[in-house]
Amino acid sequence: MAKVPDLFEDLKNCYSENEEYSSAIDHLSLNQKSFYDASYVSLQENCADKFVSLRASETSKMSNFTFKESLTMVAATSNQGKTLKKRRLAFDRAFAEEDLEAMTHNLEETIQSDSAPHIFQSNVKYKLQKLVKKEFVLNDPLNQNIYLDVDNVHLKAASLTDLQHEVKFDMYAYLSGDDSKYPVTLKISNTQLFVSAQGEDEPVLLKEMPEIPKVITGSEIDLIFFWKMVNSKNYFTSAAYPELFIATKERSRVHLARGLPSMTDFQIP
């Protein structure tokens, strides 16, 4: 049987056993299809962050890399495994290890989770202005009353015969510098329990505060709702989830929703 020519052996004969030979082989592996899997190597261990190349067809041991196959996503991960940065690289773009390290210091490319509420992506401050309404009730379009659930941390809607169990609210107005919106908090009267947003289709939670917050920012923005009146209808949009309203369904917990089948408007008698 005829011996199959060894192309790599022929290449080896063309180069001496030095760095030039190593660089040529690496360059070849990046610019042609190979029947063998290319080996992947990690970056220097003394880097603060470790970088992972996603969808890259091949890598080499050189300090400069060229990705040929497709748009390449490069991600930086912290020591705890949390994704810090992501960047797409164009076709045939060459870059060095220093470029990767620089990505972690580029604050404009910080990845923020789409599922995370807007409260963690905002530095808006809401300052207490005044008490707007005291000991009022909310009724939905089915004329259901709002009352405290048995766990004492959620609210429910139902038609009550004994109105002694109906929850009464105090409303406090806040200033944010945006005159187009009217930010408020809803507190259960005679308590320190404030209505707080938890996400779409999630029941609102009653959060106990040591006192009426004078300034609300950061993770506490889930306490803020934008109050809007349209004729006799009252709407409360979450500051933490700007597309969601305080809502009810028939005989169910008060929650956040975009609209139907939930009811998002209330009457204040």
Side-chain angles (χ1 to χ4, degrees):
M1 179 181 295
K3 182 179 179 181
V4 178
D6 191 334
L7 298 180
F8 286 94
E9 186 64 28
D10 292 340
L11 286 173
K12 184 175 181 182
N13 293 334
C14 296
Y15 296 100
S16 59
E17 303 254 349
N18 54 25
E19 292 181 0
E20 184 180 1
Y21 166 76
S22 175
S23 298
I25 292 299
D26 288 340
H27 182 74
L28 180 62
S29 68
L30 291 173
N31 289 276
Q32 71 174 18
K33 294 291 183 178
S34 173
F35 291 103
Y36 304 96
D37 292 331
S39 62
Y40 286 76
V41 294
S42 60
L43 300 179
Q44 298 176 5
E45 288 296 326
N46 58 0
C47 292
D49 295 318
K50 295 182 178 180
F51 301 90
V52 181
S53 174
L54 307 178
R55 294 178 57 206
S57 59
E58 295 170 326
T59 65
S60 77
K61 297 180 181 178
M62 297 187 301
S63 60
N64 290 331
F65 301 82
T66 303
F67 293 86
K68 300 285 291 183
E69 182 142 348
S70 64
L71 284 176
T72 303
M73 178 75 78
V74 176
T77 59
S78 67
N79 293 334
Q80 290 75 31
K82 180 181 179 180
T83 299
L84 299 177
K85 315 282 179 186
K86 289 184 179 179
R87 175 177 290 177
R88 290 189 179 275
L89 303 176
F91 286 96
D92 301 326
R93 175 178 174 179
F95 59 96
E97 292 176 9
E98 301 90 88
D99 298 324
L100 292 175
E101 187 173 358
M103 289 180 191
T104 61
H105 304 294
N106 186 354
L107 296 180
E108 293 181 357
E109 299 232 352
T110 300
I111 299 299
Q112 294 176 332
S113 173
D114 293 337
S115 60
H118 294 265
I119 57 180
F120 303 112
Q121 305 176 20
S122 173
N123 58 359
V124 179
K125 291 184 179 181
Y126 297 89
K127 297 181 180 180
L128 178 64
Q129 182 186 24
K130 61 183 179 180
L131 175 65
V132 180
K133 291 180 177 291
K134 187 174 182 180
E135 296 187 353
F136 67 96
V137 298
L138 294 172
N139 299 128
D140 69 9
L142 296 180
N143 204 32
Q144 292 186 121
N145 312 101
I146 307 299
Y147 66 98
L148 192 63
D149 203 354
V150 292
D151 60 7
N152 293 323
V153 294
H154 294 103
L155 297 173
K156 291 192 73 173
S159 297
L160 300 177
T161 54
D162 186 356
L163 295 182
Q164 290 184 353
H165 297 292
E166 187 174 25
V167 165
K168 295 182 179 180
F169 297 91
D170 297 338
M171 185 191 299
Y172 291 87
Y174 283 75
L175 295 174
S176 67
D178 185 355
D179 295 335
S180 66
K181 297 180 179 179
Y182 198 84
V184 299
T185 57
L186 297 173
K187 183 177 76 72
I188 306 301
S189 300
N190 302 315
T191 73
Q192 289 301 116
L193 298 175
F194 287 79
V195 177
S196 65
Q198 300 300 305
E200 186 170 5
D201 296 326
E202 294 293 328
V204 298
L205 184 68
L206 296 180
K207 182 183 294 186
E208 186 170 9
M209 305 295 290
E211 61 181 4
I212 299 170
K214 294 180 175 58
V215 176
I216 295 178
T217 188
S219 62
E220 291 184 348
I221 295 182
D222 58 2
L223 300 175
I224 292 288
F225 296 90
F226 299 124
W227 177 34
K228 184 177 181 179
M229 291 185 63
V230 180
N231 297 325
S232 61
K233 297 179 180 180
N234 296 267
Y235 299 86
F236 297 92
T237 309
S238 171
Y241 305 88
E243 297 179 351
L244 304 181
F245 300 82
I246 295 180
T248 61
K249 288 182 180 180
E250 188 173 5
R251 301 184 62 83
S252 66
R253 283 179 170 176
V254 179
H255 56 283
L256 292 188
R258 298 174 185 269
L260 296 174
S262 297
M263 297 169 285
T264 59
D265 60 280
F266 295 88
Q267 299 283 337
I268 299 179

PDB file of all heavy atoms in Angstrom, residues 130-162:
ATOM      1  N   LYS A 130     -45.174  65.019  50.345  1.00  0.00           N
ATOM      2  CA  LYS A 130     -46.285  65.251  51.264  1.00  0.00           C
ATOM      3  C   LYS A 130     -47.213  64.036  51.278  1.00  0.00           C
ATOM      4  O   LYS A 130     -47.134  63.147  50.430  1.00  0.00           O
ATOM      5  CB  LYS A 130     -47.079  66.483  50.835  1.00  0.00           C
ATOM      6  CG  LYS A 130     -47.701  66.352  49.453  1.00  0.00           C
ATOM      7  CD  LYS A 130     -48.431  67.628  49.035  1.00  0.00           C
ATOM      8  CE  LYS A 130     -49.020  67.497  47.637  1.00  0.00           C
ATOM      9  NZ  LYS A 130     -49.741  68.712  47.208  1.00  0.00           N
ATOM     10  N   LEU A 131     -48.098  64.036  52.254  1.00  0.00           N
ATOM     11  CA  LEU A 131     -49.188  63.064  52.316  1.00  0.00           C
ATOM     12  C   LEU A 131     -50.317  63.561  51.418  1.00  0.00           C
ATOM     13  O   LEU A 131     -50.811  64.682  51.591  1.00  0.00           O
ATOM     14  CB  LEU A 131     -49.675  62.912  53.753  1.00  0.00           C
ATOM     15  CG  LEU A 131     -50.902  62.022  53.976  1.00  0.00           C
ATOM     16  CD1 LEU A 131     -50.595  60.567  53.618  1.00  0.00           C
ATOM     17  CD2 LEU A 131     -51.369  62.116  55.430  1.00  0.00           C
ATOM     18  N   VAL A 132     -50.724  62.741  50.447  1.00  0.00           N
ATOM     19  CA  VAL A 132     -51.739  63.161  49.479  1.00  0.00           C
ATOM     20  C   VAL A 132     -53.137  62.743  49.918  1.00  0.00           C
ATOM     21  O   VAL A 132     -54.075  63.550  49.914  1.00  0.00           O
ATOM     22  CB  VAL A 132     -51.441  62.558  48.091  1.00  0.00           C
ATOM     23  CG1 VAL A 132     -52.495  63.003  47.081  1.00  0.00           C
ATOM     24  CG2 VAL A 132     -50.061  62.952  47.612  1.00  0.00           C
ATOM     25  N   LYS A 133     -53.286  61.465  50.266  1.00  0.00           N
ATOM     26  CA  LYS A 133     -54.573  60.928  50.690  1.00  0.00           C
ATOM     27  C   LYS A 133     -54.357  60.053  51.923  1.00  0.00           C
ATOM     28  O   LYS A 133     -53.317  59.420  52.062  1.00  0.00           O
ATOM     29  CB  LYS A 133     -55.232  60.103  49.586  1.00  0.00           C
ATOM     30  CG  LYS A 133     -55.720  60.905  48.383  1.00  0.00           C
ATOM     31  CD  LYS A 133     -56.349  59.988  47.349  1.00  0.00           C
ATOM     32  CE  LYS A 133     -56.900  60.764  46.177  1.00  0.00           C
ATOM     33  NZ  LYS A 133     -58.093  61.591  46.551  1.00  0.00           N
ATOM     34  N   LYS A 134     -55.362  60.004  52.760  1.00  0.00           N
ATOM     35  CA  LYS A 134     -55.260  59.208  53.982  1.00  0.00           C
ATOM     36  C   LYS A 134     -56.518  58.368  54.163  1.00  0.00           C
ATOM     37  O   LYS A 134     -57.637  58.849  53.959  1.00  0.00           O
ATOM     38  CB  LYS A 134     -55.055  60.119  55.192  1.00  0.00           C
ATOM     39  CG  LYS A 134     -54.773  59.387  56.483  1.00  0.00           C
ATOM     40  CD  LYS A 134     -54.444  60.364  57.611  1.00  0.00           C
ATOM     41  CE  LYS A 134     -54.112  59.613  58.890  1.00  0.00           C
ATOM     42  NZ  LYS A 134     -53.787  60.546  60.002  1.00  0.00           N
ATOM     43  N   GLU A 135     -56.303  57.111  54.510  1.00  0.00           N
ATOM     44  CA  GLU A 135     -57.361  56.155  54.823  1.00  0.00           C
ATOM     45  C   GLU A 135     -58.426  56.095  53.722  1.00  0.00           C
ATOM     46  O   GLU A 135     -59.619  56.261  53.974  1.00  0.00           O
ATOM     47  CB  GLU A 135     -57.985  56.489  56.181  1.00  0.00           C
ATOM     48  CG  GLU A 135     -56.996  56.339  57.328  1.00  0.00           C
ATOM     49  CD  GLU A 135     -57.651  56.506  58.695  1.00  0.00           C
ATOM     50  OE1 GLU A 135     -58.853  56.863  58.743  1.00  0.00           O
ATOM     51  OE2 GLU A 135     -56.964  56.277  59.698  1.00  0.00           O
ATOM     52  N   PHE A 136     -57.975  55.844  52.509  1.00  0.00           N
ATOM     53  CA  PHE A 136     -58.899  55.664  51.388  1.00  0.00           C
ATOM     54  C   PHE A 136     -58.883  54.199  50.957  1.00  0.00           C
ATOM     55  O   PHE A 136     -57.978  53.433  51.309  1.00  0.00           O
ATOM     56  CB  PHE A 136     -58.518  56.569  50.207  1.00  0.00           C
ATOM     57  CG  PHE A 136     -57.209  56.206  49.560  1.00  0.00           C
ATOM     58  CD1 PHE A 136     -57.158  55.391  48.431  1.00  0.00           C
ATOM     59  CD2 PHE A 136     -56.014  56.705  50.067  1.00  0.00           C
ATOM     60  CE1 PHE A 136     -55.963  55.062  47.834  1.00  0.00           C
ATOM     61  CE2 PHE A 136     -54.805  56.382  49.469  1.00  0.00           C
ATOM     62  CZ  PHE A 136     -54.775  55.553  48.347  1.00  0.00           C
ATOM     63  N   VAL A 137     -59.891  53.804  50.196  1.00  0.00           N
ATOM     64  CA  VAL A 137     -59.989  52.424  49.730  1.00  0.00           C
ATOM     65  C   VAL A 137     -59.917  52.398  48.199  1.00  0.00           C
ATOM     66  O   VAL A 137     -60.138  53.417  47.528  1.00  0.00           O
ATOM     67  CB  VAL A 137     -61.292  51.744  50.207  1.00  0.00           C
ATOM     68  CG1 VAL A 137     -61.318  51.687  51.730  1.00  0.00           C
ATOM     69  CG2 VAL A 137     -62.524  52.468  49.654  1.00  0.00           C
ATOM     70  N   LEU A 138     -59.602  51.216  47.670  1.00  0.00           N
ATOM     71  CA  LEU A 138     -59.538  50.999  46.227  1.00  0.00           C
ATOM     72  C   LEU A 138     -60.546  49.921  45.835  1.00  0.00           C
ATOM     73  O   LEU A 138     -60.579  48.852  46.456  1.00  0.00           O
ATOM     74  CB  LEU A 138     -58.129  50.554  45.808  1.00  0.00           C
ATOM     75  CG  LEU A 138     -57.003  51.574  45.972  1.00  0.00           C
ATOM     76  CD1 LEU A 138     -55.650  50.919  45.703  1.00  0.00           C
ATOM     77  CD2 LEU A 138     -57.201  52.769  45.042  1.00  0.00           C
ATOM     78  N   ASN A 139     -61.331  50.205  44.805  1.00  0.00           N
ATOM     79  CA  ASN A 139     -62.265  49.215  44.262  1.00  0.00           C
ATOM     80  C   ASN A 139     -61.967  49.021  42.781  1.00  0.00           C
ATOM     81  O   ASN A 139     -61.744  49.986  42.054  1.00  0.00           O
ATOM     82  CB  ASN A 139     -63.714  49.678  44.423  1.00  0.00           C
ATOM     83  CG  ASN A 139     -64.104  49.882  45.880  1.00  0.00           C
ATOM     84  OD1 ASN A 139     -64.620  50.933  46.248  1.00  0.00           O
ATOM     85  ND2 ASN A 139     -63.862  48.900  46.725  1.00  0.00           N
ATOM     86  N   ASP A 140     -61.976  47.758  42.336  1.00  0.00           N
ATOM     87  CA  ASP A 140     -61.687  47.483  40.925  1.00  0.00           C
ATOM     88  C   ASP A 140     -62.970  47.550  40.092  1.00  0.00           C
ATOM     89  O   ASP A 140     -64.064  47.811  40.627  1.00  0.00           O
ATOM     90  CB  ASP A 140     -60.956  46.142  40.780  1.00  0.00           C
ATOM     91  CG  ASP A 140     -61.836  44.943  41.106  1.00  0.00           C
ATOM     92  OD1 ASP A 140     -63.066  45.105  41.294  1.00  0.00           O
ATOM     93  OD2 ASP A 140     -61.301  43.822  41.183  1.00  0.00           O
ATOM     94  N   PRO A 141     -62.902  47.349  38.772  1.00  0.00           N
ATOM     95  CA  PRO A 141     -64.113  47.458  37.925  1.00  0.00           C
ATOM     96  C   PRO A 141     -65.229  46.493  38.291  1.00  0.00           C
ATOM     97  O   PRO A 141     -66.397  46.727  37.933  1.00  0.00           O
ATOM     98  CB  PRO A 141     -63.569  47.164  36.519  1.00  0.00           C
ATOM     99  CG  PRO A 141     -62.143  47.596  36.570  1.00  0.00           C
ATOM    100  CD  PRO A 141     -61.677  47.231  37.941  1.00  0.00           C
ATOM    101  N   LEU A 142     -64.902  45.394  38.983  1.00  0.00           N
ATOM    102  CA  LEU A 142     -65.947  44.467  39.438  1.00  0.00           C
ATOM    103  C   LEU A 142     -66.494  44.876  40.804  1.00  0.00           C
ATOM    104  O   LEU A 142     -67.252  44.127  41.417  1.00  0.00           O
ATOM    105  CB  LEU A 142     -65.386  43.044  39.506  1.00  0.00           C
ATOM    106  CG  LEU A 142     -64.945  42.410  38.190  1.00  0.00           C
ATOM    107  CD1 LEU A 142     -64.417  40.989  38.429  1.00  0.00           C
ATOM    108  CD2 LEU A 142     -66.091  42.382  37.186  1.00  0.00           C
ATOM    109  N   ASN A 143     -66.063  46.057  41.257  1.00  0.00           N
ATOM    110  CA  ASN A 143     -66.434  46.569  42.575  1.00  0.00           C
ATOM    111  C   ASN A 143     -65.938  45.663  43.698  1.00  0.00           C
ATOM    112  O   ASN A 143     -66.542  45.588  44.769  1.00  0.00           O
ATOM    113  CB  ASN A 143     -67.953  46.763  42.675  1.00  0.00           C
ATOM    114  CG  ASN A 143     -68.324  47.793  43.734  1.00  0.00           C
ATOM    115  OD1 ASN A 143     -67.561  48.741  43.967  1.00  0.00           O
ATOM    116  ND2 ASN A 143     -69.450  47.615  44.397  1.00  0.00           N
ATOM    117  N   GLN A 144     -64.841  44.977  43.441  1.00  0.00           N
ATOM    118  CA  GLN A 144     -64.238  44.154  44.490  1.00  0.00           C
ATOM    119  C   GLN A 144     -63.468  45.039  45.469  1.00  0.00           C
ATOM    120  O   GLN A 144     -62.926  46.090  45.099  1.00  0.00           O
ATOM    121  CB  GLN A 144     -63.270  43.133  43.879  1.00  0.00           C
ATOM    122  CG  GLN A 144     -63.939  42.060  43.047  1.00  0.00           C
ATOM    123  CD  GLN A 144     -62.951  40.988  42.595  1.00  0.00           C
ATOM    124  OE1 GLN A 144     -63.116  39.805  42.899  1.00  0.00           O
ATOM    125  NE2 GLN A 144     -61.928  41.395  41.862  1.00  0.00           N
ATOM    126  N   ASN A 145     -63.415  44.583  46.699  1.00  0.00           N
ATOM    127  CA  ASN A 145     -62.676  45.286  47.742  1.00  0.00           C
ATOM    128  C   ASN A 145     -61.285  44.663  47.893  1.00  0.00           C
ATOM    129  O   ASN A 145     -61.071  43.498  47.575  1.00  0.00           O
ATOM    130  CB  ASN A 145     -63.427  45.197  49.074  1.00  0.00           C
ATOM    131  CG  ASN A 145     -64.902  45.544  48.937  1.00  0.00           C
ATOM    132  OD1 ASN A 145     -65.755  44.656  48.885  1.00  0.00           O
ATOM    133  ND2 ASN A 145     -65.207  46.835  48.876  1.00  0.00           N
ATOM    134  N   ILE A 146     -60.368  45.451  48.395  1.00  0.00           N
ATOM    135  CA  ILE A 146     -59.010  44.965  48.662  1.00  0.00           C
ATOM    136  C   ILE A 146     -58.901  44.661  50.151  1.00  0.00           C
ATOM    137  O   ILE A 146     -59.252  45.500  50.987  1.00  0.00           O
ATOM    138  CB  ILE A 146     -57.948  46.003  48.260  1.00  0.00           C
ATOM    139  CG1 ILE A 146     -58.162  46.458  46.806  1.00  0.00           C
ATOM    140  CG2 ILE A 146     -56.547  45.436  48.449  1.00  0.00           C
ATOM    141  CD1 ILE A 146     -58.050  45.341  45.805  1.00  0.00           C
ATOM    142  N   TYR A 147     -58.421  43.476  50.474  1.00  0.00           N
ATOM    143  CA  TYR A 147     -58.266  43.104  51.875  1.00  0.00           C
ATOM    144  C   TYR A 147     -56.951  42.350  52.069  1.00  0.00           C
ATOM    145  O   TYR A 147     -56.304  41.902  51.109  1.00  0.00           O
ATOM    146  CB  TYR A 147     -59.454  42.262  52.366  1.00  0.00           C
ATOM    147  CG  TYR A 147     -59.581  40.901  51.725  1.00  0.00           C
ATOM    148  CD1 TYR A 147     -59.088  39.756  52.365  1.00  0.00           C
ATOM    149  CD2 TYR A 147     -60.210  40.737  50.492  1.00  0.00           C
ATOM    150  CE1 TYR A 147     -59.214  38.503  51.778  1.00  0.00           C
ATOM    151  CE2 TYR A 147     -60.341  39.493  49.915  1.00  0.00           C
ATOM    152  CZ  TYR A 147     -59.840  38.378  50.555  1.00  0.00           C
ATOM    153  OH  TYR A 147     -59.953  37.141  49.986  1.00  0.00           O
ATOM    154  N   LEU A 148     -56.566  42.204  53.325  1.00  0.00           N
ATOM    155  CA  LEU A 148     -55.298  41.559  53.669  1.00  0.00           C
ATOM    156  C   LEU A 148     -55.450  40.045  53.609  1.00  0.00           C
ATOM    157  O   LEU A 148     -56.380  39.478  54.193  1.00  0.00           O
ATOM    158  CB  LEU A 148     -54.867  41.993  55.071  1.00  0.00           C
ATOM    159  CG  LEU A 148     -53.439  41.676  55.522  1.00  0.00           C
ATOM    160  CD1 LEU A 148     -52.421  42.388  54.650  1.00  0.00           C
ATOM    161  CD2 LEU A 148     -53.259  42.084  56.992  1.00  0.00           C
ATOM    162  N   ASP A 149     -54.542  39.398  52.890  1.00  0.00           N
ATOM    163  CA  ASP A 149     -54.571  37.941  52.805  1.00  0.00           C
ATOM    164  C   ASP A 149     -54.178  37.329  54.152  1.00  0.00           C
ATOM    165  O   ASP A 149     -53.622  38.003  55.028  1.00  0.00           O
ATOM    166  CB  ASP A 149     -53.619  37.470  51.698  1.00  0.00           C
ATOM    167  CG  ASP A 149     -53.992  36.091  51.174  1.00  0.00           C
ATOM    168  OD1 ASP A 149     -54.900  35.464  51.743  1.00  0.00           O
ATOM    169  OD2 ASP A 149     -53.369  35.636  50.206  1.00  0.00           O
ATOM    170  N   VAL A 150     -54.422  36.029  54.308  1.00  0.00           N
ATOM    171  CA  VAL A 150     -54.191  35.374  55.599  1.00  0.00           C
ATOM    172  C   VAL A 150     -52.717  35.364  55.997  1.00  0.00           C
ATOM    173  O   VAL A 150     -52.392  35.251  57.178  1.00  0.00           O
ATOM    174  CB  VAL A 150     -54.728  33.923  55.580  1.00  0.00           C
ATOM    175  CG1 VAL A 150     -56.240  33.922  55.500  1.00  0.00           C
ATOM    176  CG2 VAL A 150     -54.122  33.136  54.426  1.00  0.00           C
ATOM    177  N   ASP A 151     -51.797  35.480  55.002  1.00  0.00           N
ATOM    178  CA  ASP A 151     -50.372  35.471  55.342  1.00  0.00           C
ATOM    179  C   ASP A 151     -49.861  36.835  55.786  1.00  0.00           C
ATOM    180  O   ASP A 151     -48.702  36.988  56.174  1.00  0.00           O
ATOM    181  CB  ASP A 151     -49.541  34.967  54.156  1.00  0.00           C
ATOM    182  CG  ASP A 151     -49.707  35.820  52.917  1.00  0.00           C
ATOM    183  OD1 ASP A 151     -50.352  36.889  52.989  1.00  0.00           O
ATOM    184  OD2 ASP A 151     -49.176  35.418  51.857  1.00  0.00           O
ATOM    185  N   ASN A 152     -50.718  37.846  55.700  1.00  0.00           N
ATOM    186  CA  ASN A 152     -50.412  39.212  56.155  1.00  0.00           C
ATOM    187  C   ASN A 152     -49.307  39.912  55.362  1.00  0.00           C
ATOM    188  O   ASN A 152     -48.832  40.981  55.774  1.00  0.00           O
ATOM    189  CB  ASN A 152     -50.035  39.231  57.652  1.00  0.00           C
ATOM    190  CG  ASN A 152     -51.199  38.875  58.544  1.00  0.00           C
ATOM    191  OD1 ASN A 152     -52.344  39.246  58.271  1.00  0.00           O
ATOM    192  ND2 ASN A 152     -50.931  38.132  59.606  1.00  0.00           N
ATOM    193  N   VAL A 153     -48.903  39.357  54.236  1.00  0.00           N
ATOM    194  CA  VAL A 153     -47.892  40.016  53.393  1.00  0.00           C
ATOM    195  C   VAL A 153     -48.378  40.200  51.958  1.00  0.00           C
ATOM    196  O   VAL A 153     -47.651  40.735  51.117  1.00  0.00           O
ATOM    197  CB  VAL A 153     -46.555  39.239  53.392  1.00  0.00           C
ATOM    198  CG1 VAL A 153     -45.909  39.261  54.762  1.00  0.00           C
ATOM    199  CG2 VAL A 153     -46.752  37.825  52.882  1.00  0.00           C
ATOM    200  N   HIS A 154     -49.604  39.749  51.662  1.00  0.00           N
ATOM    201  CA  HIS A 154     -50.179  39.913  50.338  1.00  0.00           C
ATOM    202  C   HIS A 154     -51.576  40.513  50.455  1.00  0.00           C
ATOM    203  O   HIS A 154     -52.207  40.455  51.524  1.00  0.00           O
ATOM    204  CB  HIS A 154     -50.252  38.576  49.589  1.00  0.00           C
ATOM    205  CG  HIS A 154     -48.919  37.994  49.264  1.00  0.00           C
ATOM    206  ND1 HIS A 154     -48.359  36.951  49.970  1.00  0.00           N
ATOM    207  CD2 HIS A 154     -48.026  38.314  48.297  1.00  0.00           C
ATOM    208  CE1 HIS A 154     -47.174  36.653  49.458  1.00  0.00           C
ATOM    209  NE2 HIS A 154     -46.951  37.464  48.450  1.00  0.00           N
ATOM    210  N   LEU A 155     -52.052  41.061  49.346  1.00  0.00           N
ATOM    211  CA  LEU A 155     -53.387  41.625  49.271  1.00  0.00           C
ATOM    212  C   LEU A 155     -54.244  40.802  48.314  1.00  0.00           C
ATOM    213  O   LEU A 155     -53.732  40.256  47.334  1.00  0.00           O
ATOM    214  CB  LEU A 155     -53.335  43.085  48.786  1.00  0.00           C
ATOM    215  CG  LEU A 155     -52.593  44.076  49.682  1.00  0.00           C
ATOM    216  CD1 LEU A 155     -52.478  45.418  48.986  1.00  0.00           C
ATOM    217  CD2 LEU A 155     -53.309  44.237  51.024  1.00  0.00           C
ATOM    218  N   LYS A 156     -55.549  40.726  48.602  1.00  0.00           N
ATOM    219  CA  LYS A 156     -56.478  40.006  47.725  1.00  0.00           C
ATOM    220  C   LYS A 156     -57.660  40.899  47.381  1.00  0.00           C
ATOM    221  O   LYS A 156     -57.957  41.872  48.089  1.00  0.00           O
ATOM    222  CB  LYS A 156     -56.969  38.711  48.387  1.00  0.00           C
ATOM    223  CG  LYS A 156     -55.906  37.635  48.524  1.00  0.00           C
ATOM    224  CD  LYS A 156     -56.512  36.288  48.913  1.00  0.00           C
ATOM    225  CE  LYS A 156     -57.248  35.651  47.753  1.00  0.00           C
ATOM    226  NZ  LYS A 156     -57.709  34.270  48.065  1.00  0.00           N
ATOM    227  N   ALA A 157     -58.313  40.541  46.291  1.00  0.00           N
ATOM    228  CA  ALA A 157     -59.500  41.266  45.853  1.00  0.00           C
ATOM    229  C   ALA A 157     -60.705  40.335  45.874  1.00  0.00           C
ATOM    230  O   ALA A 157     -60.638  39.206  45.386  1.00  0.00           O
ATOM    231  CB  ALA A 157     -59.295  41.817  44.442  1.00  0.00           C
ATOM    232  N   ALA A 158     -61.781  40.806  46.442  1.00  0.00           N
ATOM    233  CA  ALA A 158     -63.033  40.042  46.482  1.00  0.00           C
ATOM    234  C   ALA A 158     -64.139  40.991  46.935  1.00  0.00           C
ATOM    235  O   ALA A 158     -63.878  42.065  47.490  1.00  0.00           O
ATOM    236  CB  ALA A 158     -62.930  38.848  47.422  1.00  0.00           C
ATOM    237  N   SER A 159     -65.356  40.580  46.705  1.00  0.00           N
ATOM    238  CA  SER A 159     -66.494  41.380  47.160  1.00  0.00           C
ATOM    239  C   SER A 159     -66.789  41.020  48.613  1.00  0.00           C
ATOM    240  O   SER A 159     -67.193  39.892  48.919  1.00  0.00           O
ATOM    241  CB  SER A 159     -67.720  41.108  46.278  1.00  0.00           C
ATOM    242  OG  SER A 159     -67.478  41.504  44.953  1.00  0.00           O
ATOM    243  N   LEU A 160     -66.566  41.959  49.502  1.00  0.00           N
ATOM    244  CA  LEU A 160     -66.717  41.711  50.932  1.00  0.00           C
ATOM    245  C   LEU A 160     -68.100  42.155  51.403  1.00  0.00           C
ATOM    246  O   LEU A 160     -68.623  43.196  50.983  1.00  0.00           O
ATOM    247  CB  LEU A 160     -65.644  42.455  51.718  1.00  0.00           C
ATOM    248  CG  LEU A 160     -64.181  42.108  51.411  1.00  0.00           C
ATOM    249  CD1 LEU A 160     -63.242  42.997  52.225  1.00  0.00           C
ATOM    250  CD2 LEU A 160     -63.903  40.637  51.696  1.00  0.00           C
ATOM    251  N   THR A 161     -68.644  41.363  52.296  1.00  0.00           N
ATOM    252  CA  THR A 161     -69.897  41.761  52.943  1.00  0.00           C
ATOM    253  C   THR A 161     -69.604  42.538  54.226  1.00  0.00           C
ATOM    254  O   THR A 161     -70.361  43.426  54.613  1.00  0.00           O
ATOM    255  CB  THR A 161     -70.750  40.526  53.273  1.00  0.00           C
ATOM    256  OG1 THR A 161     -69.966  39.605  54.044  1.00  0.00           O
ATOM    257  CG2 THR A 161     -71.199  39.845  51.980  1.00  0.00           C
ATOM    258  N   ASP A 162     -68.483  42.181  54.852  1.00  0.00           N
ATOM    259  CA  ASP A 162     -68.066  42.883  56.062  1.00  0.00           C
ATOM    260  C   ASP A 162     -66.900  43.807  55.691  1.00  0.00           C
ATOM    261  O   ASP A 162     -65.757  43.377  55.539  1.00  0.00           O
ATOM    262  CB  ASP A 162     -67.621  41.879  57.128  1.00  0.00           C
ATOM    263  CG  ASP A 162     -67.315  42.553  58.459  1.00  0.00           C
ATOM    264  OD1 ASP A 162     -67.370  43.805  58.516  1.00  0.00           O
ATOM    265  OD2 ASP A 162     -67.000  41.832  59.425  1.00  0.00           O
TER     266      ASP A 162
END
